[in-house]
Amino acid sequence: MLKGKHVLSLMEFSSKEVLDVLELSERLKRKRRNGVYPLLLKNKTLISIFMKPSTRTRISFNEAMNELGGHCIDLTANELQLGRGETIEDTARVLSRYADVIAARVFAHEDVVRLSKSASIPVINSLSDAFHPCQVLADLQTIKEKKGLKGVKLAYIGDGNNVCNTLLIGGSLVGIDIYVGCPKNYKPNQDAIDFALKIASKTKSKIIITEDPNEAVSGADVIYTDTFISMGVEKEREERLKIFLPKYQVNQKLIEKAKSDYIFMHCLPAHRNHEVTDDIIDSKNSAVWDQAENRLHAQKALLTLILLKKSEIKV
Ligand code: CP
Ligand code: NVA
C-alpha cells in the first residue's frame, strides 16, 4: 500500500505500486482532457522545498495540488530558517505539524533521507544528487502510452546520474530492458544497478551497462539522455564536455542504430547540441513535451495514492 509512504528513490515501491500510479495518472489525465477535475485532496497541504532551481517540478507540484482541490506552499531553502542553520530534523518536525506531505529538492540525497526520518508525514524526493523518482514515474507513463511496457528496450546515453539511477530502478520494476551507454567513470550508482539486476531476474528484463553507445542504442525503442552537467557539478563542466563529446551525444548518426519508430526522451532542461542535437529533440520522434506534461498527471496520482486509502479514491 502506498498510503503514508516516503518516496525517496522508487526502491521502496513494488512493481504493482508503480503500475497503480501509472493507472491512476492515466485516469486523471483523461478526466482533465474532458475538463473534469476530481477534488480528491480537498483541505490537504503540500509543502514543497527547493534547494536547487526548478521549472517543471515546482510548477507541476503546485498545479497538481490546485487541480486536486488542495494547497501547495512552495519555498526555496533561503526563504526558510533552514537557510540560516535550523536543522533538517527540526524543520521536518515543524512542517509535519502544518501540512500533510512534504516534497524536497536537495543536493545530497542524505538530506532528504534525514528529512523523512524526522517527519511524521510522507516525504517525496523531488530530485537529489542520486535519484529523481517523480521524473521516472512520468517517464514510465510516457513509455507506456507510446510503446507499451512489454518487450521495450530503453537506451540511456550519457551521464549515469540521478535520472539514470532512477530509470534503472523504475524500468526494472515494470520489466523493460535498460541499456546504459556511459563513460567508464560516469556509471550509474552501484546500489541502483544491484537493485535493478535483482528485480530484472524476476521480471525477466535485461540490465546492461556498457561504454559503447552504439551497443546501447542498437534496436532500441526509446532513447533517453540528460545533461552531462547536473546541478551541483558545474565546476566539472570543461572536463565533462571533453569526456562526453562527441561520443555520447544523441545525434542522427547514433539514432540510426535504433528502431525506425524509436522515441526520444529527455527529462529537460535540455542543453541543445551538447547531449542532444536540435534535429533529434525537435523531430517527430521526440516525446519530450508529452513527457513534461506527464509530470503533472503522475504527481497528481502519486500525491493521491500516498495521502488516501484506495477505497477513498473515487474517480
Ligand atoms: N525535469 C525536471 O525535474 O525539471 P525541473 O528541474 O525544471 O524541475
Ligand atoms: N540530472 C539533472 C536533472 C535535472 C532535472 C540534474 O540533476 O541537474
Side-chain angles (χ1 to χ4, degrees), residues 69-137:
H71 184 55
C72 175
I73 300 170
D74 68 18
L75 297 157
T76 61
N78 287 337
E79 291 167 301
L80 298 166
Q81 295 288 8
L82 198 56
R84 293 180 58 247
E86 186 167 17
T87 68
I88 290 179
E89 287 74 14
D90 290 351
T91 304
R93 291 178 190 113
V94 172
L95 299 185
S96 299
R97 300 291 178 105
Y98 299 138
D100 301 280
V101 52
I102 300 169
R105 170 166 287 196
V106 298
F107 283 92
H109 184 67
E110 184 53 26
D111 287 353
V112 71
V113 173
R114 283 171 59 196
L115 198 61
S116 71
K117 284 189 178 150
S118 294
S120 53
I121 58 177
V123 171
I124 301 173
N125 171 13
S126 48
L127 183 146
S128 66
D129 59 356
F131 303 106
H132 197 359
C134 301
Q135 178 67 51
V136 168
L137 291 170

